[in-house]
Amino acid sequence: MCARTSIGDRKKTRIDMNVSLFVTMLLIMIASIGVLVWKVTEANQKIDEIIEAISVDVLPELGWPANVSTTCDIPPFPAAACLPEHRIDDPADIAIFMFGLTRSLRHTYKTIKHRIFRPLNEHGITFHLYAHFYLIRDGYIDARTLETTRDFVNDEWAYLSPYTRIELQNQTDFDNIRSEYTDFHSTIIPYNDMAAPSPRDTMHVWRNTKRQLHSVSRCMNMAACSGVPYRAVIFLRPDVLYYEDLPIPLLRFCMNSQKAAAVVLNWGWDVNFIGHNDRFYMTNWKGAISLAYRGRKSNLDTYERDTDRSWWPENVFGWTINKCGIEKRVTDYPFDRVRANGWLVPDSCEKSHMCFTDLSSAIERSLSGPSRGA
């Protein structure tokens, strides 16, 4: 009887210990989750504070005429839509638009200043720099590029100082809002669905295209509200290493053109299939209006109706150039992309997405190579 009681006591004790251990582990997990939530909340608050302190208050969209189906003939951005503080009294020859994710600006800003800004200064071409960047807040992961939240540095935009105007936007907030640049087909395609507006692509492609086109349009809004009569615009992504000086003669072609004109890159792809590389291009002001607002719903409606191409942004870019009859010149301007995790993706390996080389030697090459472009 005593033995049975002893065994029963031991079983009860073991159960109590297991329950106690389970409760302890549960409390630890709850505490860990609480700490994680607190850290994420704190990080989000810091990002929100940065956005509020840095961003320029510019109207997000305009009520273009309903009968305008593409961006080819839209009127200029109306000055009445801008606030007095948006105007800039200091004139400049051209505007530079930087857009998207800063991604790797901490690695590329030296080459941007050396290969883009320096040649402009040496040739006496004045410029204003406008930037719209998304900040990565939480839960970001890119299965294709292997980039995660911890790879992004949300204060990289500071490397651009002095900039003329800059706007920061939380990428998650943008994905969740409804506007002319986000609600295309949203009534039939859930945000987290893997289906794109048409069966041509995954939602990943469609979402990235919307992000880029919105970012470009925000840069255009800031420049248009400045009231400065720019003769040309350079569009460029911040996550790129350039290996030659900016091709000044081609920029002057844009500056002096009387009709819509653009300089685009010879990418090596089938242009009819993939369009043109949209990481770097130059236009005059007329061409800039058409291309900067190519993400408008009416334009994308026309794109989907008129073509069976994919929703890759390069396709929308190339289609808009052709649709609007923009005079284009194609050139070679070598550059490589740099991921947020420091991986270099040579342009020659674009198709495989699996060719990575040493970043430090590439940066050195970008700062000491030839200056053919001048």
Side-chain angles (χ1 to χ4, degrees):
M1 184 73 176
C2 291
R4 289 177 181 172
T5 302
S6 178
I7 292 173
D9 290 344
R10 285 200 297 271
K11 287 183 177 179
K12 183 177 184 301
T13 300
R14 192 178 298 117
I15 292 173
D16 290 342
M17 290 177 62
N18 289 339
V19 171
S20 178
L21 180 60
F22 173 76
V23 171
T24 301
M25 293 179 64
L26 182 61
L27 291 174
I28 292 174
M29 289 177 61
I30 293 174
S32 299
I33 293 173
V35 171
L36 179 61
V37 170
W38 174 77
K39 287 184 177 180
V40 169
T41 301
E42 184 182 39
N44 292 345
Q45 288 176 345
K46 288 182 178 179
I47 289 177
D48 290 340
E49 290 173 2
I50 292 174
I51 293 174
E52 183 177 358
I54 299 300
S55 297
V56 177
D57 181 20
V58 178
L59 297 180
E61 285 128 35
L62 295 174
W64 300 114
N67 61 347
V68 177
S69 62
T70 69
T71 60
C72 303
D73 299 311
I74 60 175
F77 196 105
C82 307
L83 301 176
E85 55 265 33
H86 296 155
R87 295 191 61 82
I88 297 176
D89 295 328
D90 181 30
D93 298 315
I94 69 169
I96 298 176
F97 294 172
M98 296 185 70
F99 53 91
L101 294 171
T102 57
R103 180 169 263 122
S104 55
L105 187 59
R106 61 193 182 279
H107 300 302
T108 63
Y109 77 97
K110 288 184 179 180
T111 184
I112 291 173
K113 291 184 176 181
H114 180 64
R115 294 299 187 184
I116 306 294
F117 299 168
R118 178 186 55 79
L120 290 172
N121 291 329
E122 289 179 353
H123 285 80
I125 300 175
T126 56
F127 63 90
H128 289 158
L129 173 61
Y130 298 93
H132 173 277
F133 295 135
Y134 294 111
L135 301 187
I136 298 298
R137 200 158 72 168
D138 54 60
Y140 180 86
I141 184 169
D142 191 318
R144 183 171 65 91
T145 65
L146 303 182
E147 295 168 307
T148 63
T149 303
R150 66 175 180 271
D151 294 321
F152 290 85
V153 180
N154 280 324
D155 60 358
E156 283 186 312
W157 51 267
Y159 286 110
L160 289 178
S161 181
Y163 46 78
T164 304
R165 292 281 190 272
I166 190 168
E167 184 179 16
L168 306 176
Q169 187 170 11
N170 184 296
Q171 184 166 272
T172 303
D173 290 347
F174 168 73
D175 289 342
N176 292 330
I177 64 174
R178 295 292 175 85
S179 72
E180 186 170 4
Y181 292 89
T182 61
D183 67 358
F184 184 58
H185 284 279
S186 62
T187 56
I188 59 172
I189 301 297
Y191 162 75
N192 60 351
D193 199 314
M194 286 305 293
S198 67
R200 307 168 188 170
D201 298 293
T202 64
M203 189 63 178
H204 172 80
V205 171
W206 170 239
R207 187 171 54 194
N208 283 343
T209 298
K210 290 193 298 182
R211 289 168 178 166
Q212 183 201 114
L213 298 182
H214 173 74
S215 189
V216 170
S217 74
R218 298 293 291 193
C219 291
M220 189 64 186
N221 284 6
M222 288 186 280
C225 278
S226 72
V228 178
Y230 299 111
R231 297 172 61 190
V233 178
I234 299 175
F235 298 76
L236 59 88
R237 284 255 299 263
D239 57 343
V240 171
L241 290 177
Y242 298 96
Y243 295 117
E244 294 181 356
D245 284 358
L246 183 73
I248 297 296
L250 290 174
L251 174 62
R252 292 195 185 280
F253 156 72
C254 292
M255 295 172 65
N256 297 327
S257 180
Q258 297 301 309
K259 63 178 184 177
V263 172
V264 297
L265 299 186
N266 179 13
W267 203 6
W269 290 76
D270 179 357
V271 173
N272 293 323
F273 171 72
I274 197 65
H276 286 292
N277 196 323
D278 56 353
R279 293 178 177 86
F280 174 90
Y281 52 102
M282 301 185 290
T283 71
N284 62 355
W285 187 250
K286 288 183 179 179
I289 294 176
S290 295
L291 293 174
Y293 293 123
R294 64 185 182 275
R296 293 189 62 245
K297 181 179 182 298
S298 58
N299 198 58
L300 297 182
D301 279 334
T302 306
Y303 173 83
E304 185 181 42
R305 184 179 64 249
D306 290 358
T307 179
D308 59 355
R309 294 183 186 179
S310 135
W311 281 108
W312 284 96
E314 294 88 349
N315 270 327
V316 179
F317 178 53
W319 175 85
T320 304
I321 290 176
N322 294 333
K323 183 75 173 179
C324 295
I326 297 175
E327 181 182 2
K328 67 180 178 182
R329 293 193 178 180
V330 181
T331 186
D332 292 309
Y333 188 45
F335 65 79
D336 289 333
R337 293 170 297 138
V338 182
R339 298 296 190 197
N341 51 21
W343 288 5
L344 183 75
V345 188
D347 191 52
S348 59
C349 302
E350 175 82 32
K351 295 181 181 179
S352 68
H353 302 294
M354 294 297 291
C355 182
F356 306 109
T357 57
D358 180 58
L359 176 59
S360 59
S361 61
I363 293 176
E364 182 179 355
R365 174 190 166 200
S366 72
L367 296 175
S368 60
S371 56
R372 175 185 68 89

